[in-house]
Amino acid sequence: MLKKVSAQNLFWCFLLVSVGLITSCKKDSPGEDTQSTVPDKNNLQTPTTNRDFLTRDSIFLYAKQTYFWNVGMPAYDDFNPRKYSNNNQVLAALKALPSTGGKDKYSFIDDGSVASQLGGVSGDYGFSANYDNGDLLRVKYVYPGSPAALAGLKRGNIITMVNGRSTSRSSQANIDNLNDGIFGNNPTIALAITKTDNTVQNLVVARGSYNINPILFSNTYTVGAKKIGYIVFNSFTTNAVPLLDAAFSKFATDGVTELVVDLRYNGGGSVATSEAFTNLIAPSSQNGKVMYTTYWTKTMQDKQATILQNQKFYDTNSSGVKTLFSMFDYDYKPTAAAGNQEFFKKRGSLNGLTRVYFLVTSGTASASELLINNLKPVMDVKLIGRKTYGKPVGFFSLRIDKNDLYIPQFQTKNSADFGDYFDGMAVDKDLSDDLTTDFGDPAESLLAQALNYSATGRFTSFTKENALSSTNGVSRVQIDQVNEKLDHEFKGMVETRKPILK
């Protein structure tokens, strides 16, 4: 089985030890200018000391051996990564290869921020925003303890100005201003907001470091004779499990028999956290049965991904001695013996849940979808909101010089052998997001549907929210298209546990 106790430490050891390695095509440390050639006898290239060229070579070569869609990839000379002017262009060309079937909307290059956020520390403003049904830009969530929270920003606040410019989406320039202001790297952001009591306030929020608490809200509701638990979970960080344990302990004390899990803005994160969350919800009757199986790239399964020898970390061997290993030393076969088949193991004291409702949107992705997919074969699951993002594949980071490369390397399938939801998961009740009401308000549209179904066994039938805005005739489709341009949430399923060392 996979190592549960040391998984987080192993992940950080992997990141720290691999920092500075230029990987595949550079034999010495990145601080030295040494000549290098691509380690592929079938391809020849001119030796170079150009670090940019070496990095682009590495991006291609890692993909050639570990990319989920590497079957049918061209040879190095045919692809020629050095003809591209930057790393992102190389990655874009990989994503556009016919071998992907147009499915790769997931790969990216990061400066290390994702690894930090995955560990539960962020360095941004701590909020995000979308347009509502009335075409008004509203705060969709605020992380507790973040700079935005300390400045008084709350979900539902209307943002009327960003850095002195209108938030009307009437022009691409305005959308660009929002992306630069809210999601860019500026040290501060100036906001004009209208609160729910119609008071107007001007705020300046400074970027800052804060610990992420992914549980934005939790509560227990009484519906007839039932107790319904509700939890808003915004990110599968590696520090989230103790927080989830505490929330579910409260649900058990309250006698909760149905559960509403709000994942509407959750783009994923740690596989280990998703697995723990699954075991908090799943019935104990599933103990010992298959939860899901991980299918790594065939070259990795066949021990042909030799390039992974460059991704090194320290771990304790079978004799208890701290030893330098590489990612090549793992067994990637889709078997329990290799640690790539997970089994249900009940966590916590909340047992006997009869149904779980997931509140979702197009931003619900990856580790969130893994949680849903794990539970679908074993209990009554209802999805409310909009079709999910569609990301049944995941990755671990590959350190290349000063950046982390994230390319899909595995797919997960549940106990029913299903995992092909690349187009997203369909919902049982189609409903647009309600930004006008705070989390936990029983009148909030998505939560109200779950509570109504619990009480009556059916969803309500009103559909106004999916048609035209009552204020200006703007279609919901148009609003959704703009919101997609403002969607900068991380979407990923990161394998922080590792398969068993060979």
Side-chain angles (χ1 to χ4, degrees), residues 323-334:
T323 305
L324 185 65
F325 292 97
S326 75
M327 298 304 291
F328 181 71
D329 295 321
Y330 285 112
D331 190 341
Y332 294 100
K333 293 184 179 65

Side-chain angles (χ1 to χ4, degrees), residues 90-405:
V90 176
L91 193 59
L94 289 171
K95 293 163 70 173
L97 288 174
S99 62
T100 71
K103 291 181 178 179
D104 189 3
K105 53 184 178 181
Y106 320 114
S107 298
F108 64 96
I109 299 171
D110 182 64
D111 61 1
S113 299
V114 167
S116 178
Q117 292 173 13
L118 186 66
V121 179
S122 190
D124 54 19
Y125 303 123
F127 81 100
S128 190
N130 267 171
Y131 286 94
D132 67 6
N133 286 320
D135 207 20
L136 299 173
L137 186 68
R138 290 183 185 265
V139 175
K140 64 180 183 179
Y141 69 80
V142 180
Y143 274 119
S146 68
L150 297 177
L153 209 61
K154 294 183 182 298
R155 173 177 165 83
N157 288 166
I158 301 172
I159 304 175
T160 57
M161 302 281 284
V162 170
N163 292 335
R165 291 188 58 165
S166 167
T167 58
S168 166
R169 58 178 188 83
S170 58
S171 69
Q172 184 59 47
N174 283 348
I175 300 300
D176 292 342
N177 180 61
L178 296 182
N179 276 316
D180 177 66
I182 301 175
F183 306 106
N185 296 316
N186 302 314
T188 62
I189 183 172
L191 302 171
I193 65 169
T194 301
K195 298 183 177 181
T196 53
D197 62 2
N198 290 323
T199 59
V200 177
Q201 185 177 6
N202 293 316
L203 300 173
V204 175
V205 183
R207 182 181 301 276
S209 179
Y210 60 96
N211 292 325
I212 297 173
N213 181 346
I215 300 178
L216 302 184
F217 184 86
S218 64
N219 194 27
T220 299
Y221 301 87
T222 301
V223 178
K226 298 178 183 178
K227 295 292 185 179
I228 314 298
Y230 173 61
I231 184 169
V232 182
F233 192 67
N234 212 49
S235 180
F236 286 83
T237 57
T238 56
N239 68 334
V241 175
L243 302 171
L244 286 169
D245 285 340
F248 273 73
S249 178
K250 177 65 164 57
F251 289 153
T253 300
D254 292 344
V256 164
T257 58
E258 293 186 12
L259 183 67
V260 183
V261 182
D262 196 332
L263 302 173
R264 69 184 83 189
Y265 310 129
N266 192 323
S270 166
V271 171
T273 302
S274 184
E275 181 187 326
F277 205 157
T278 301
N279 280 321
L280 283 166
I281 298 173
S284 59
S285 60
Q286 293 298 314
N287 281 351
K289 298 179 182 178
V290 173
M291 179 191 292
Y292 69 94
T293 303
T294 301
Y295 295 87
W296 295 88
T297 303
K298 191 174 186 302
T299 45
M300 296 170 71
Q301 292 185 38
D302 294 343
K303 302 179 183 179
Q304 299 299 309
T306 54
I307 196 170
L308 290 175
Q309 292 171 346
N310 296 290
Q311 297 290 322
K312 300 183 185 297
F313 61 91
Y314 281 100
D315 193 21
T316 303
N317 65 19
S318 58
S319 300
V321 179
K322 199 169 189 179
T323 305
L324 185 65
F325 292 97
S326 75
M327 298 304 291
F328 181 71
D329 295 321
Y330 285 112
D331 190 341
Y332 294 100
K333 293 184 179 65
T335 64
N340 290 309
Q341 195 167 53
E342 292 303 321
F343 299 84
F344 286 102
K345 185 179 179 181
K346 184 62 188 174
R347 187 182 186 95
S349 57
L350 180 62
N351 201 13
L353 288 174
T354 58
R355 183 181 295 122
V356 57
Y357 309 86
F358 288 102
L359 310 186
V360 298
T361 66
S362 61
T364 304
S366 204
S368 289
E369 293 170 311
L370 175 63
L371 170 64
I372 297 168
N373 200 47
N374 287 343
L375 292 170
K376 276 192 169 185
V378 301
M379 62 188 304
D380 187 6
V381 172
K382 303 294 183 188
L383 271 62
I384 303 169
R386 287 292 170 83
K387 186 170 72 171
T388 66
Y389 183 74
K391 191 178 185 300
V393 291
F395 35 50
F396 55 74
S397 65
L398 296 164
R399 191 68 175 176
I400 301 178
D401 200 7
K402 298 178 181 180
N403 294 301
D404 292 330
L405 172 66

Side-chain angles (χ1 to χ4, degrees), residues 46 49 73 127 165 360 474 482 487 501:
T46 304
T49 59
M73 278 184 60
F127 81 100
R165 291 188 58 165
V360 298
V474 176
V482 173
D487 185 2
L501 288 164

Side-chain angles (χ1 to χ4, degrees), residues 425-501:
M425 295 177 169
V427 296
D428 298 286
K429 175 61 181 178
D430 185 69
L431 200 65
S432 62
D433 190 14
D434 180 3
L435 294 169
T436 65
T437 312
D438 205 356
F439 292 124
D441 188 328
E444 190 274 317
S445 296
L446 274 63
L447 176 58
Q449 288 288 345
L451 297 177
N452 184 77
Y453 193 97
S454 180
T456 67
R458 63 182 183 276
F459 297 115
T460 57
S461 58
F462 60 88
T463 57
K464 289 180 181 178
E465 71 288 331
N466 292 331
L468 297 177
S469 164
S470 60
T471 58
N472 56 15
V474 176
S475 74
R476 184 67 226 191
V477 171
Q478 290 174 289
I479 294 172
D480 289 343
Q481 288 172 345
V482 173
N483 283 338
E484 286 179 5
K485 297 179 181 179
L486 301 178
D487 185 2
H488 296 267
E489 311 295 336
F490 166 74
K491 292 179 178 61
M493 181 161 55
V494 183
E495 181 54 277
T496 54
R497 313 152 309 157
K498 305 300 174 193
I500 292 174
L501 288 164

